[in-house]
């Protein structure tokens, strides 16, 4: 739901939290949280991302996105998205359903990229190997305690949108919901999921060394 955001990590000025909160309240900065437990349709999500009015970018026609109800005054997609100053979180995409996707948006950068495997899709041996990393078992226990759903595990949409006074939850949420799989698509999705499994490449010493090497390259 819409609320004034009080996350100190969103403070670019480095001021204390109280000063930030006063400034955000003064300028009407607030957040909208979107949480769902079904995947995005990858193609519809791509169209939404292409329509985002990033400075210097071009809008994409979303007529094919599917039925949705615009907000008061019949706002178009650009009007709805333009007040979003920053957004971030995790999402679940049907085209690559075994991996988390990280949503990252600030300024002129907007990206949704695959990241680590969802915990819920790991096999027993893969899970045992992964929690052997220092600190990872505590992370897994926290996910099980805070984020787990009896049907889909940790797979989810969990996105936060931060914007000014013109950011309206009742306009933004229908756009995001139109990107989710329909009931019919969801049935087909679960049928396809029966034949998918996480490869074992990441869950042996060679995979560990490869992953560490990739991390080092990014650091360099």
């Amino acid at each position: 739901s819409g609320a004034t955001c009080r996350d100190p990590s969103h403070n670019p000025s480095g001021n204390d939290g109280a000063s930030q909160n006063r400034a955000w309240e003064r300028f009407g900065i607030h957040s909208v949280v979107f949480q769902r437990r079904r995947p995005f349709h990858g193609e519809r999500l791509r169209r939404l991302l292409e329509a985002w009015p990033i400075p210097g970018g071009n809008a994409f026609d979303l007529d094919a996105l599917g039925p949705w109800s615009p907000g008061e005054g019949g706002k178009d997609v650009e009007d709805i998205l333009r007040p979003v100053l920053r957004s971030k979180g995790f999402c679940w995409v049907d085209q690559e359903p075994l991996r988390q996707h990280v949503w990252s948006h600030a300024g002129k950068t907007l990206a949704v990229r695959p990241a680590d495997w969802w915990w819920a899709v790991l096999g027993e041996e893969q899970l045992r190997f992964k929690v052997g990393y220092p600190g990872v078992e505590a992370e897994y226990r926290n996910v099980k305690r805070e984020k787990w759903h009896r049907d889909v595990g940790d797979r989810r949409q969990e996105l936060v949108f931060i914007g000014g006074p013109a950011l309206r939850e009742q306009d933004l949420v229908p756009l995001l919901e139109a990107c989710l799989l329909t009931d019919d698509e969801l049935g087909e999705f679960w049928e396809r999921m029966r034949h998918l499994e996480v490869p074992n490449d990441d869950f042996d010493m060679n995979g560990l060394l490869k992953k560490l090497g990739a991390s080092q390259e990014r650091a360099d």
Side-chain angles (χ1 to χ4, degrees):
S1 60
T4 300
C5 182
R6 303 180 185 276
D7 183 347
S9 69
H10 299 157
N11 179 13
S13 65
N15 296 332
D16 63 86
S19 298
Q20 177 202 358
N21 290 340
R22 287 194 295 271
W24 282 38
E25 289 168 359
R26 175 183 174 189
F27 293 108
I29 303 297
H30 64 287
S31 64
V32 172
V33 178
F34 182 78
Q35 295 177 313
R36 297 293 187 274
R37 289 287 185 165
R38 69 169 61 196
F40 281 131
H41 186 286
E43 180 61 20
R44 292 199 291 271
L45 179 62
R46 181 189 66 80
R47 292 177 186 148
L48 181 63
L49 296 176
E50 289 183 354
W52 215 281
I54 300 296
N58 295 318
F60 189 92
D61 185 359
L62 279 191
D63 288 343
L65 183 63
W68 60 283
S69 300
E72 294 179 10
K75 291 183 179 179
D76 64 24
V77 173
E78 285 191 73
D79 288 338
I80 294 170
L81 298 177
R82 188 173 289 108
V84 179
L85 304 175
R86 183 179 177 187
S87 54
K88 63 179 184 176
F90 297 96
C91 55
W92 181 16
V93 183
D94 72 329
Q95 292 177 344
E96 200 169 0
L98 302 179
R99 287 190 180 275
Q100 303 174 20
H101 282 66
V102 176
W103 178 303
S104 177
H105 162 224
K108 296 183 178 181
T109 302
L110 172 62
V112 176
R113 295 191 174 96
D116 208 350
W117 308 105
W118 292 110
W119 286 104
V121 302
L122 297 181
E124 185 176 338
E125 292 298 322
Q126 294 170 339
L127 179 60
R128 185 177 295 112
F129 183 88
K130 186 170 181 177
V131 297
Y133 288 96
V136 174
E137 185 173 4
E139 176 189 343
Y140 175 59
R141 289 178 177 175
N142 182 65
V143 169
K144 288 280 288 187
R145 182 175 60 252
E146 303 290 341
K147 305 294 184 181
W148 210 259
H149 185 279
R150 63 183 182 183
D151 295 326
V152 298
D154 58 325
R155 290 169 285 187
R156 65 196 186 278
Q157 317 296 352
E158 186 172 300
L159 302 170
V160 179
F161 299 85
I162 302 162
L167 173 61
R168 295 168 63 89
E169 181 176 8
Q170 61 266 42
D171 294 330
L172 177 61
V173 168
L175 278 182
L176 297 167
E177 289 186 327
C179 295
L180 297 172
L181 296 186
T182 65
D183 289 345
D184 288 343
E185 290 168 341
L186 190 61
E188 296 172 359
F189 169 81
W190 285 120
E191 179 63 27
R192 181 162 53 90
M193 280 292 296
R194 292 174 53 196
H195 307 289
L196 298 179
E197 59 183 25
V198 176
N200 285 318
D201 297 355
D202 288 351
F203 300 92
D204 56 26
M205 289 308 299
N206 289 333
L208 174 59
L209 292 173
K210 181 179 178 181
K211 191 171 185 179
L212 290 174
S215 299
Q216 184 61 43
E217 288 178 6
R218 285 194 293 269
D220 294 341

